[in-house]
Amino acid sequence: MVDPEDKTASAEAPATPSTVTRSPAGDPLHGVTLAMIVERLHEAYGWDELARMVPVRCFQFDPSVQSSLKFLRRTPWARAKVEALYRDLVTT
């Protein structure tokens, strides 16, 4: 048992810079799901404008949030464009 008043007990070493997690305070994507991003962009621009801005079939033909999520989760370049569009929307 450790005596709480024992000043000789070693304290944990402070975290090194490699183990410190950066604060997500400035990241507009922190805590936001892909579904939330697609829904917000759809509200702001509509499917037609989204299809013009990011020309992918899931926005052009019979668009839905579910089909968009399925495509964006498998296609990194399209997801990056959608996330960049979201960042622009929320930071301006």
Side-chain angles (χ1 to χ4, degrees):
M1 188 159 149
V2 177
D3 183 10
E5 294 186 7
D6 183 12
K7 303 293 185 209
T8 61
S10 64
E12 285 187 30
T16 61
S18 63
T19 61
V20 175
T21 305
R22 297 204 187 283
S23 173
D27 184 10
L29 294 177
H30 181 71
V32 179
T33 65
L34 186 57
M36 293 164 65
I37 291 171
V38 172
E39 289 169 357
R40 179 75 165 93
L41 290 173
H42 173 246
E43 288 172 10
Y45 300 115
W47 294 120
D48 291 335
E49 185 64 14
L50 271 175
R52 189 188 65 72
M53 298 167 105
V54 184
V56 292
R57 292 182 62 85
C58 66
F59 293 157
Q60 295 171 337
F61 304 103
D62 196 24
S64 71
V65 172
Q66 287 299 63
S67 68
S68 300
L69 292 175
K70 186 175 180 180
F71 176 76
L72 294 170
R73 287 181 180 133
R74 293 179 298 142
T75 316
W77 65 265
R79 182 176 181 152
K81 284 189 172 195
V82 167
E83 288 175 348
L85 192 59
Y86 177 79
R87 277 189 193 98
D88 290 343
L89 177 67
V90 297
T91 58
T92 56

